[in-house]
Amino acid sequence: MSFVNCDKFGYDPAHIQRRLRILELSEQDFAYAGRLQKEVIVPHFSQIMNAFMDKMLNQAEVQSFLTDADSQKRVKTTITAFLLSLGSGFDSASYFDHRLMVGMAHEKVGLSLSMYLCAYRMLTQTIIDHFPPSLCADQQEYARLVGFLYKINTLDMSLAIETYHNTHVHSLKESIGDLQAREVELKQQAITDSLTGMINHEHVFTELARVLSAAQREQIPLCVVMADLDHFKKVNDNYGHQAGDTVLEETSSRIKSSLRDFDLVGRYGGEEFMILLVNSTMDTAGMVAERIRKKVGNIPMPLKDQDITVTISMGIAAAGSNDSVETLVARADKALYNAKHGGRNQVSFL
């Protein structure tokens, strides 16, 4: 037979026996478990339950989550099952499994671990307070039964706290994981243009500074391409801004599909894009730019009601050993200006 909580927390028969040995719970204690139920708990159950609940409900921390009759009734049901099984078959996997479950239940309702420990202490003392006079008269048997009660409650407490702790830690790990995922998401949002999915203006400059420094240090070629859609204002004027957004999204998709995995592209602003071609000579950059120009201009853009043709102009500058981000971008921008004034829908080099 499988016991879910024992399996989850590693309580196989060997582990169960180790825990019992630590607490010095042995076969001799089964007799005391029977006496505890028969002579104390069963005949005085209502008094023990009411006294314990009164003690618990006098605690402000407990009052904060036992706010109504239904919640109190559920707790009484749990405590009833707990008391009427206290010590019965304490060496069995089913006993361990139930006590492990108790810790998870209390973690879910929000009882603090410190209050949890106090509750076990209050319950132990409440049971002792209801020992019958006949049992208290025999000091030797009284001491042995109290000793067993402390051992069995310590077993129960150790199991419940173990699951309480592990469940709480697991919840914290999940919360931390959620926060970390949210942090990654927010960081990604901070560097991403929401419309095109490209990196945004600020981050494309950050990336350019990084790749330019690496290119100059390692003496590898780098080209910057400035790309701008031709007559984009007419798209917005003639078809509306929603159509303009569609064109920008489609253009960005066509640009990205034309690049290599290690190339970078960002939305520079409006209908303008900056492309960073790492380890690319002017010849290579020219071929990439031509591929982009044809993909954009030769295939109509699908709008809601019709397809339209949009072209793109591009200017390319190759990084020099003394270039800064500013000088390199300025040359690429100048090359774009030349392409625009040379008739548009073309690639210019500088």
XYZ file of all heavy atoms in Angstrom, residues 106-188:
670
model
N -1.955 22.738 8.357
C -1.809 23.934 9.189
C -1.008 25.028 8.493
O -1.235 26.208 8.730
C -1.172 23.563 10.536
C -2.136 22.907 11.479
N -2.277 21.547 11.555
C -3.037 23.430 12.347
C -3.202 21.239 12.451
N -3.683 22.351 12.940
N -0.069 24.628 7.627
C 0.657 25.643 6.863
C -0.292 26.381 5.934
O -0.199 27.599 5.759
C 1.773 24.967 6.065
C 2.801 25.927 5.475
C 2.356 26.538 4.164
O 1.520 25.915 3.474
O 2.827 27.643 3.831
N -1.250 25.644 5.358
C -2.196 26.256 4.421
C -3.110 27.262 5.106
O -3.478 28.273 4.512
C -3.015 25.173 3.726
C -2.228 24.380 2.693
C -3.100 23.336 2.020
C -2.293 22.553 0.986
N -3.109 21.492 0.350
N -3.520 26.984 6.360
C -4.434 27.924 7.030
C -3.708 29.152 7.554
O -4.342 30.129 7.941
C -5.223 27.243 8.176
C -6.038 26.101 7.646
C -4.304 26.803 9.305
N -2.381 29.102 7.596
C -1.636 30.304 7.958
C -1.157 30.372 9.396
O -0.722 31.429 9.860
N -1.238 29.273 10.130
C -0.750 29.268 11.509
C 0.776 29.319 11.499
O 1.427 28.543 10.808
C -1.220 27.997 12.223
C -0.928 27.894 13.720
C -1.703 28.958 14.476
C -1.304 26.497 14.241
N 1.328 30.259 12.271
C 2.790 30.392 12.298
C 3.422 29.199 12.991
O 2.791 28.528 13.823
C 3.192 31.680 13.016
O 2.940 31.562 14.401
N 4.680 28.927 12.657
C 5.371 27.795 13.247
C 5.524 27.960 14.749
O 5.396 26.994 15.514
C 6.745 27.629 12.582
C 7.508 26.346 12.904
C 6.669 25.127 12.586
C 8.813 26.311 12.132
N 5.762 29.173 15.224
C 5.903 29.406 16.661
C 4.597 29.118 17.397
O 4.583 28.482 18.457
C 6.336 30.854 16.933
O 5.412 31.763 16.368
N 3.470 29.545 16.807
C 2.175 29.273 17.420
C 1.859 27.789 17.348
O 1.219 27.219 18.236
C 1.089 30.084 16.707
C -0.262 30.068 17.414
S -0.197 30.875 19.018
C -0.941 29.600 20.051
N 2.327 27.162 16.307
C 2.145 25.733 16.128
C 2.797 24.964 17.283
O 2.203 24.050 17.871
C 2.784 25.365 14.797
C 2.320 24.081 14.176
C 1.028 23.613 14.354
C 3.191 23.349 13.375
C 0.606 22.446 13.756
C 2.776 22.184 12.768
C 1.485 21.728 12.961
O 1.081 20.581 12.368
N 4.024 25.330 17.615
C 4.723 24.697 18.732
C 3.987 24.936 20.047
O 3.849 24.035 20.880
C 6.147 25.240 18.819
C 7.085 24.837 17.682
C 8.358 25.665 17.734
C 7.420 23.364 17.772
N 3.521 26.148 20.224
C 2.773 26.476 21.443
C 1.488 25.658 21.546
O 1.097 25.221 22.638
C 2.428 27.967 21.479
S 3.856 29.054 21.654
N 0.831 25.429 20.407
C -0.411 24.661 20.407
C -0.162 23.221 20.850
O -0.960 22.657 21.615
C -1.026 24.681 19.009
N 0.933 22.629 20.402
C 1.261 21.275 20.844
C 1.505 21.243 22.356
O 1.084 20.319 23.049
C 2.495 20.762 20.101
C 2.157 19.990 18.849
C 2.250 20.572 17.595
C 1.747 18.667 18.926
C 1.937 19.870 16.449
C 1.433 17.945 17.772
C 1.525 18.561 16.533
O 1.198 17.855 15.407
N 2.179 22.264 22.834
C 2.428 22.319 24.287
C 1.120 22.463 25.055
O 0.906 21.797 26.084
C 3.361 23.510 24.600
C 3.593 23.759 26.094
C 4.336 22.599 26.737
N 4.496 22.795 28.178
C 3.617 22.404 29.073
N 2.507 21.805 28.696
N 3.840 22.592 30.363
N 0.218 23.306 24.577
C -1.074 23.494 25.241
C -1.898 22.214 25.214
O -2.565 21.856 26.198
C -1.846 24.635 24.585
C -1.326 26.019 24.941
S -2.415 27.352 24.360
C -2.002 27.383 22.623
N -1.860 21.503 24.076
C -2.627 20.266 23.958
C -2.095 19.215 24.926
O -2.872 18.517 25.593
C -2.571 19.747 22.526
C -3.347 18.459 22.259
C -4.832 18.656 22.546
C -3.149 17.988 20.823
N -0.771 19.099 24.990
C -0.165 18.129 25.920
C -0.599 18.404 27.353
O -1.020 17.497 28.086
C 1.369 18.176 25.810
O 1.759 17.912 24.465
C 2.010 17.159 26.741
N -0.513 19.664 27.764
C -0.875 20.006 29.131
C -2.376 19.822 29.376
O -2.784 19.390 30.460
C -0.484 21.463 29.439
C -0.640 21.845 30.902
C 0.163 20.952 31.826
O 1.367 20.769 31.630
N -0.485 20.362 32.832
N -3.184 20.107 28.377
C -4.632 19.933 28.528
C -4.980 18.466 28.753
O -5.838 18.140 29.585
C -5.373 20.453 27.275
O -5.041 21.815 27.069
C -6.878 20.325 27.439
N -4.317 17.572 28.038
C -4.552 16.136 28.232
C -4.128 15.723 29.644
O -4.855 15.001 30.345
C -3.802 15.320 27.166
C -4.389 15.600 25.776
C -3.886 13.822 27.476
C -3.587 14.998 24.629
N -2.961 16.191 30.085
C -2.479 15.856 31.432
C -3.449 16.365 32.496
O -3.729 15.678 33.493
C -1.071 16.439 31.654
C -0.049 15.727 30.753
C -0.664 16.326 33.122
C 1.334 16.349 30.780
N -3.990 17.548 32.281
C -4.931 18.121 33.248
C -6.193 17.290 33.402
O -6.925 17.438 34.400
C -5.330 19.545 32.826
C -4.185 20.534 32.958
O -3.208 20.225 33.667
O -4.255 21.611 32.330
N -6.464 16.427 32.427
C -7.675 15.607 32.483
C -7.384 14.145 32.798
O -8.219 13.273 32.557
C -8.454 15.732 31.170
C -9.099 17.065 31.006
N -8.434 18.174 30.536
C -10.365 17.480 31.312
C -9.251 19.218 30.509
N -10.429 18.824 30.976
N -6.191 13.877 33.317
C -5.931 12.539 33.845
C -6.875 12.303 35.020
O -7.005 13.169 35.902
C -4.482 12.423 34.329
C -3.490 12.077 33.247
C -3.716 12.429 31.926
C -2.326 11.389 33.562
C -2.799 12.130 30.933
C -1.406 11.078 32.570
C -1.644 11.442 31.253
N -7.521 11.165 35.103
C -8.420 10.894 36.235
C -7.640 10.712 37.546
O -6.473 10.301 37.513
C -9.113 9.594 35.819
C -8.161 8.937 34.875
C -7.475 10.041 34.152
N -8.264 11.008 38.689
C -7.577 10.871 39.999
C -7.007 9.480 40.216
O -5.922 9.335 40.808
C -8.680 11.187 41.003
C -9.630 12.068 40.257
C -9.607 11.557 38.837
N -7.715 8.458 39.742
C -7.231 7.090 39.966
C -5.887 6.865 39.280
O -5.040 6.123 39.785
C -8.256 6.084 39.445
O -8.510 6.304 38.052
N -5.709 7.498 38.135
C -4.446 7.366 37.410
C -3.346 8.181 38.073
O -2.194 7.743 38.147
C -4.631 7.806 35.952
C -3.450 7.609 35.002
C -3.025 6.145 34.963
C -3.796 8.077 33.605
N -3.707 9.343 38.581
C -2.707 10.204 39.224
C -2.225 9.626 40.556
O -1.129 9.950 41.013
C -3.305 11.591 39.462
S -3.759 12.461 37.943
N -3.058 8.748 41.177
C -2.705 8.202 42.496
C -1.492 7.282 42.411
O -0.714 7.203 43.366
C -3.905 7.449 43.083
N -1.353 6.616 41.306
C -0.203 5.719 41.131
C 0.911 6.542 40.471
O 0.956 6.688 39.252
C -0.603 4.528 40.269
C 0.494 3.467 40.178
O 1.681 3.813 40.386
O 0.182 2.305 39.859
N 1.795 7.072 41.267
C 2.824 7.992 40.771
C 3.719 7.360 39.713
O 4.105 8.020 38.732
C 3.681 8.497 41.939
C 2.942 9.427 42.885
C 2.507 10.691 42.175
O 3.294 11.336 41.482
N 1.232 11.064 42.340
N 4.010 6.094 39.865
C 4.894 5.438 38.900
C 4.216 5.317 37.538
O 4.813 5.642 36.496
C 5.286 4.055 39.425
C 6.402 3.416 38.607
C 6.887 2.118 39.231
O 6.114 1.377 39.850
N 8.176 1.829 39.077
N 2.964 4.844 37.531
C 2.234 4.722 36.281
C 1.920 6.093 35.679
O 1.939 6.275 34.463
C 0.940 3.932 36.490
C 1.152 2.439 36.636
C 1.823 1.852 35.414
O 1.177 1.793 34.344
O 3.010 1.461 35.496
N 1.617 7.026 36.549
C 1.353 8.408 36.092
C 2.581 8.961 35.352
O 2.458 9.523 34.264
C 1.014 9.289 37.291
C 0.910 10.762 36.966
C -0.249 11.305 36.421
C 1.986 11.617 37.210
C -0.343 12.658 36.126
C 1.905 12.975 36.907
C 0.741 13.494 36.369
O 0.648 14.833 36.076
N 3.753 8.776 35.922
C 4.983 9.278 35.321
C 5.255 8.597 33.975
O 5.673 9.237 33.005
C 6.164 9.060 36.264
N 4.985 7.273 33.922
C 5.222 6.560 32.680
C 4.251 7.013 31.573
O 4.641 7.163 30.418
C 5.084 5.062 32.909
C 6.247 4.470 33.700
C 5.990 3.038 34.057
N 7.123 2.469 34.799
C 7.082 1.300 35.441
N 5.953 0.577 35.415
N 8.143 0.851 36.073
N 2.992 7.231 31.963
C 2.007 7.652 30.973
C 2.281 9.069 30.487
O 2.151 9.371 29.299
C 0.596 7.552 31.562
C -0.546 7.587 30.533
C -0.376 6.501 29.481
C -1.892 7.450 31.228
N 2.678 9.950 31.418
C 3.061 11.307 31.014
C 4.281 11.260 30.108
O 4.361 11.977 29.102
C 3.335 12.184 32.253
C 3.983 13.509 31.836
C 2.042 12.475 33.001
N 5.237 10.388 30.448
C 6.424 10.249 29.609
C 6.060 9.805 28.202
O 6.599 10.324 27.208
N 5.135 8.837 28.115
C 4.694 8.395 26.790
C 3.995 9.532 26.045
O 4.218 9.722 24.842
C 3.738 7.209 26.900
C 3.049 6.912 25.592
C 3.740 6.307 24.556
C 1.718 7.277 25.392
C 3.108 6.057 23.335
C 1.095 7.048 24.177
C 1.788 6.418 23.148
N 3.148 10.281 26.750
C 2.426 11.381 26.113
C 3.401 12.397 25.527
O 3.209 12.872 24.398
C 1.502 12.061 27.128
C 0.726 13.275 26.615
C -0.166 12.904 25.441
C -0.112 13.874 27.751
N 4.458 12.708 26.253
C 5.444 13.660 25.728
C 6.182 13.075 24.520
O 6.450 13.782 23.539
C 6.437 14.051 26.823
C 5.966 15.217 27.651
C 5.557 15.026 28.976
C 5.910 16.502 27.114
C 5.107 16.091 29.747
C 5.464 17.566 27.881
C 5.054 17.364 29.183
O 4.604 18.429 29.922
N 6.483 11.775 24.575
C 7.182 11.158 23.441
C 6.302 11.132 22.191
O 6.766 11.471 21.097
C 7.623 9.736 23.815
C 8.802 9.686 24.760
C 9.399 8.291 24.870
C 8.483 7.319 25.566
N 9.132 5.988 25.768
N 5.033 10.734 22.360
C 4.179 10.624 21.188
C 3.836 11.995 20.622
O 3.763 12.183 19.406
C 2.900 9.814 21.504
C 2.236 9.349 20.193
C 1.919 10.614 22.336
C 3.057 8.408 19.378
N 3.650 12.974 21.497
C 3.384 14.321 20.996
C 4.615 14.919 20.332
O 4.507 15.695 19.386
C 2.886 15.226 22.121
C 1.370 15.401 22.072
O 0.723 14.953 21.134
N 0.802 16.032 23.073
N 5.798 14.538 20.826
C 7.022 15.006 20.170
C 7.166 14.372 18.793
O 7.584 15.037 17.833
C 8.254 14.673 21.032
O 8.132 15.312 22.300
C 9.531 15.174 20.364
N 6.795 13.084 18.673
C 6.806 12.442 17.359
C 5.858 13.164 16.405
O 6.240 13.529 15.286
C 6.384 10.975 17.489
C 6.166 10.234 16.152
C 7.464 10.143 15.365
C 5.568 8.847 16.395
N 4.617 13.359 16.878
C 3.627 14.029 16.037
C 4.094 15.430 15.648
O 3.958 15.854 14.499
C 2.291 14.140 16.776
C 1.618 12.792 16.940
O 2.124 11.807 16.387
O 0.587 12.725 17.651
N 4.646 16.132 16.627
C 5.092 17.498 16.387
C 6.256 17.516 15.391
O 6.305 18.358 14.493
C 5.510 18.140 17.710
C 5.914 19.605 17.611
S 6.039 20.368 19.253
C 7.224 19.295 20.053
N 7.176 16.577 15.518
C 8.334 16.555 14.616
C 7.895 16.292 13.178
O 8.428 16.892 12.243
C 9.343 15.496 15.061
O 8.863 14.180 14.823
N 6.920 15.401 13.014
C 6.441 15.087 11.667
C 5.667 16.249 11.073
O 5.858 16.612 9.906
C 5.566 13.834 11.702
C 6.270 12.536 12.109
C 5.267 11.403 12.230
C 7.362 12.182 11.126
N 4.787 16.832 11.888
C 3.993 17.949 11.384
C 4.871 19.148 11.051
O 4.676 19.817 10.032
C 2.935 18.334 12.412
N 5.850 19.423 11.908
C 6.729 20.567 11.670
C 7.595 20.331 10.435
O 7.873 21.252 9.666
C 7.599 20.848 12.914
C 6.731 21.440 14.021
C 8.745 21.793 12.579
C 7.450 21.627 15.325
N 7.998 19.080 10.249
C 8.830 18.762 9.078
C 8.085 19.094 7.790
O 8.626 19.736 6.885
C 9.219 17.290 9.100
C 10.232 16.923 8.038
C 10.890 15.586 8.323
O 10.708 15.049 9.423
O 11.584 15.091 7.427
N 6.825 18.661 7.706
C 6.060 18.957 6.500
C 5.677 20.428 6.436
O 5.626 21.016 5.360
C 4.786 18.097 6.416
O 4.045 18.248 7.633
C 5.130 16.652 6.211
N 5.388 21.002 7.603
C 5.075 22.434 7.648
C 6.245 23.216 7.064
O 6.075 24.075 6.194
C 4.823 22.856 9.089
C 4.449 24.321 9.275
C 3.143 24.680 9.566
C 5.398 25.334 9.186
C 2.784 26.012 9.760
C 5.064 26.665 9.349
C 3.758 26.990 9.649
O 3.425 28.310 9.820
N 7.432 22.896 7.539
C 8.635 23.597 7.092
C 8.873 23.383 5.595
O 9.082 24.339 4.845
C 9.844 23.106 7.887
C 11.156 23.591 7.349
N 11.602 24.878 7.525
C 12.109 22.947 6.616
C 12.771 25.025 6.931
N 13.107 23.873 6.378
N 8.825 22.120 5.166
C 9.099 21.825 3.761
C 8.057 22.435 2.839
O 8.388 22.925 1.752
C 9.164 20.318 3.550
C 10.425 19.704 4.130
O 11.424 20.390 4.305
N 10.379 18.427 4.448
N 6.790 22.403 3.278
C 5.728 23.001 2.471
C 5.917 24.508 2.380
O 5.745 25.119 1.325
C 4.350 22.682 3.074
O 4.191 21.272 3.162
C 3.230 23.254 2.219
N 6.288 25.117 3.518
C 6.506 26.559 3.538
C 7.700 26.939 2.668
O 7.637 27.913 1.907
C 6.728 27.017 4.976
C 6.561 28.485 5.183
N 5.387 29.147 4.901
C 7.421 29.436 5.633
C 5.522 30.433 5.176
N 6.749 30.626 5.620
N 8.763 26.165 2.770
C 9.955 26.435 1.958
C 9.623 26.286 0.477
O 10.044 27.098 -0.354
C 11.111 25.485 2.350
C 12.233 25.536 1.326
C 11.643 25.862 3.726
N 8.839 25.246 0.161
C 8.443 25.044 -1.239
C 7.630 26.228 -1.746
O 7.835 26.701 -2.868
C 7.634 23.759 -1.364
C 7.170 23.464 -2.760
N 8.036 23.091 -3.766
C 5.927 23.529 -3.329
C 7.361 22.911 -4.876
N 6.073 23.177 -4.656
N 6.722 26.731 -0.887
C 5.916 27.894 -1.269
C 6.798 29.116 -1.492
O 6.585 29.891 -2.436
C 4.870 28.196 -0.191
O 3.956 27.133 -0.063
N 7.787 29.272 -0.604
C 8.704 30.402 -0.751
C 9.511 30.280 -2.042
O 9.717 31.274 -2.752
C 9.644 30.478 0.455
C 9.032 30.991 1.757
C 10.040 30.866 2.900
C 8.595 32.444 1.623
N 9.962 29.066 -2.344
C 10.733 28.855 -3.572
C 9.878 29.165 -4.790
O 10.365 29.761 -5.761
C 11.250 27.416 -3.631
C 12.411 27.135 -2.694
C 12.895 25.699 -2.825
C 14.101 25.439 -1.916
N 14.555 24.030 -2.005
N 8.609 28.758 -4.733
C 7.711 29.064 -5.854
C 7.525 30.566 -5.994
O 7.521 31.104 -7.108
C 6.350 28.392 -5.634
C 6.351 26.900 -5.916
C 4.947 26.335 -5.918
O 4.062 26.922 -5.262
O 4.729 25.311 -6.582
N 7.376 31.246 -4.837
C 7.199 32.704 -4.875
C 8.444 33.388 -5.433
O 8.345 34.311 -6.247
C 6.898 33.229 -3.468
O 5.685 32.713 -2.970
N 9.608 32.914 -4.979
C 10.861 33.485 -5.476
C 10.992 33.227 -6.969
O 11.400 34.106 -7.736
C 12.063 32.901 -4.704
C 12.045 33.405 -3.253
C 13.376 33.273 -5.376
C 13.038 32.712 -2.353
N 10.631 32.001 -7.386
C 10.676 31.681 -8.805
C 9.762 32.573 -9.630
O 10.137 33.038 -10.707
N 8.558 32.822 -9.081
C 7.615 33.710 -9.779
C 8.167 35.127 -9.874
O 8.043 35.789 -10.918
C 6.269 33.737 -9.050
C 5.510 32.423 -9.179
O 5.848 31.639 -10.085
O 4.594 32.189 -8.374
N 8.789 35.591 -8.765
C 9.362 36.934 -8.767
C 10.519 37.048 -9.749
O 10.666 38.053 -10.451
C 9.832 37.301 -7.356
C 8.734 37.603 -6.329
C 9.330 37.764 -4.942
C 7.962 38.862 -6.710
N 11.347 35.997 -9.785
C 12.476 36.014 -10.714
C 11.998 35.998 -12.161
O 12.554 36.704 -13.017
C 13.383 34.820 -10.439
C 14.166 34.936 -9.139
C 14.946 33.679 -8.807
O 14.592 32.568 -9.218
N 16.013 33.823 -8.041
N 10.956 35.185 -12.418
C 10.402 35.148 -13.775
C 9.810 36.499 -14.146
O 9.960 36.977 -15.281
C 9.337 34.063 -13.870
N 9.140 37.133 -13.172
C 8.557 38.448 -13.418
C 9.640 39.489 -13.648
O 9.496 40.377 -14.498
C 7.686 38.850 -12.222
C 6.998 40.211 -12.368
C 6.123 40.265 -13.593
N 5.445 41.552 -13.702
C 4.965 42.046 -14.809
N 5.067 41.350 -15.941
N 4.366 43.209 -14.835
N 10.753 39.358 -12.898
C 11.868 40.281 -13.080
C 12.451 40.162 -14.482
O 12.727 41.167 -15.144
C 12.949 40.005 -12.035
C 14.132 40.952 -12.114
C 15.225 40.628 -11.113
O 15.144 39.571 -10.464
O 16.163 41.423 -10.990
N 12.619 38.904 -14.937
C 13.125 38.675 -16.297
C 12.161 39.270 -17.314
O 12.569 39.910 -18.288
C 13.315 37.169 -16.548
C 13.606 36.895 -18.033
C 14.443 36.627 -15.687
N 10.864 39.059 -17.068
C 9.851 39.579 -17.980
C 9.888 41.103 -18.047
O 9.818 41.700 -19.124
C 8.473 39.111 -17.521
C 7.323 39.555 -18.412
C 5.970 39.131 -17.887
O 5.919 38.305 -16.955
O 4.946 39.625 -18.402
N 10.012 41.725 -16.869
C 10.054 43.190 -16.826
C 11.310 43.728 -17.500
O 11.264 44.755 -18.190
C 9.979 43.673 -15.374
C 8.622 43.500 -14.685
C 8.723 43.849 -13.209
C 7.559 44.360 -15.358
N 12.432 43.040 -17.280
C 13.673 43.466 -17.930
C 13.539 43.355 -19.441
O 14.012 44.226 -20.179
C 14.847 42.615 -17.430
C 15.323 42.971 -16.032
C 16.505 42.118 -15.618
C 17.020 42.529 -14.244
N 18.143 41.668 -13.802
N 12.905 42.258 -19.888
C 12.712 42.076 -21.317
C 11.801 43.148 -21.882
O 12.045 43.692 -22.960
C 12.130 40.684 -21.594
C 12.107 40.306 -23.063
C 13.491 40.246 -23.688
O 14.465 39.865 -23.037
N 13.601 40.647 -24.946
